[in-house]
Amino acid sequence: MTIDVKTVADSGKRARSKAANRRAILDAGRRVFARIGFEATTVRDIIRETDLAAGTFYNYFKSKEEVFEAIAEDSTQRFRDMLKDVRASARTAQDYMHDAYYAYFSFMAQENRQAIEDGAPHIALIGVRVDTPEMSAVAAEISSDLERILSADTSSNIDIDYLTAAAIGIAREMGEVMLQRRPVDVAGATAFASGMLMAGVKALAAK
């Protein structure tokens, strides 16, 4: 069997071009959503933010909603990878809470770094959403992590579903507030969130 080197090279080039186009659209969408908000954004706004033709955009996405969902899924997947590192290193509930919150708040700050520098008013829109299959998987992993870590101590009688919901809710609400502050205080948000949640865990365990 003869391998056509040129065909293979052309195929690889097309794949890289497709990936670059998709990334350009997502990056443009992120900037526009942050600058003028999701509701006000149109597909035309996103296209104008790229060097691509309108037809090229529609080869990848049908609407601004699909762009927003793709940004959310991409962000969630990358945060999920960070959470794996937290899971591998955390040995206590305190370590897990602190490191998971630090990973999330750091991630949010980095994801929105350009929007923050540009003074974009809608930066809190861009981040990890809760209404996607990917985020449902993350929530399930967090629930499993908490159950495993807490089962080793007197906190094992705590309702894990409630605790998971509280942990994620605190992260989302505090993350939005943190992004509005100058400077963005990742360490402060981490200390407050993890301290508050662990205090609640200890209080419930003492009952």
Side-chain angles (χ1 to χ4, degrees), residues 33-60:
F33 290 140
R35 188 167 63 244
I36 65 178
F38 176 78
E39 293 300 330
T41 295
T42 66
V43 168
R44 186 182 297 275
D45 292 324
I46 298 173
I47 294 171
R48 279 200 295 256
E49 195 80 9
T50 72
D51 295 326
L52 304 175
T56 302
F57 174 93
Y58 287 107
N59 286 334
Y60 298 89

Side-chain angles (χ1 to χ4, degrees), residues 24-100:
I25 293 169
L26 294 183
D27 289 345
R30 182 183 294 276
R31 291 192 297 271
V32 176
F33 290 140
R35 188 167 63 244
I36 65 178
F38 176 78
E39 293 300 330
T41 295
T42 66
V43 168
R44 186 182 297 275
D45 292 324
I46 298 173
I47 294 171
R48 279 200 295 256
E49 195 80 9
T50 72
D51 295 326
L52 304 175
T56 302
F57 174 93
Y58 287 107
N59 286 334
Y60 298 89
F61 301 101
K62 296 178 182 178
S63 65
K64 68 175 184 179
E65 286 80 9
E66 286 194 359
V67 175
F68 193 84
E69 289 169 3
I71 292 172
E73 290 175 3
D74 177 68
S75 295
T76 306
Q77 180 58 59
R78 284 182 288 116
F79 173 68
R80 191 177 182 183
D81 291 340
M82 295 174 67
L83 198 59
K84 290 179 182 177
D85 295 334
V86 172
R87 181 179 304 117
S89 61
R91 294 294 178 265
T92 67
Q94 179 66 51
D95 288 344
Y96 182 85
M97 298 294 187
H98 179 277
D99 295 351

Side-chain angles (χ1 to χ4, degrees), residues 92-203:
T92 67
Q94 179 66 51
D95 288 344
Y96 182 85
M97 298 294 187
H98 179 277
D99 295 351
Y101 275 124
Y102 186 81
Y104 179 76
F105 292 139
S106 297
F107 178 79
M108 289 296 289
Q110 181 58 37
E111 287 290 278
N112 293 281
R113 180 182 59 80
Q114 190 60 55
I116 291 168
E117 292 176 359
D118 295 343
H122 299 279
I123 55 175
L125 282 173
I126 308 303
V128 177
R129 289 174 56 188
V130 298
D131 56 345
T132 64
E134 191 70 36
M135 189 57 203
S136 294
V138 171
E141 290 173 0
I142 292 173
S143 179
S144 178
D145 291 341
L146 292 174
E147 186 170 23
R148 173 179 53 80
I149 291 172
L150 294 179
S151 65
D153 58 34
T154 56
S155 307
S156 58
N157 63 329
I158 293 176
D159 190 307
I160 297 298
D161 290 338
Y162 281 161
L163 181 60
T164 301
I168 293 173
I170 289 170
R172 285 188 56 78
E173 294 298 324
M174 282 192 58
E176 293 193 4
V177 173
M178 179 195 71
L179 291 177
Q180 302 298 331
R181 293 191 172 187
R182 299 294 178 272
V184 175
D185 185 7
V186 171
T190 299
F192 189 96
S194 60
M196 181 172 63
L197 199 65
M198 281 307 302
V201 167
K202 291 175 181 176

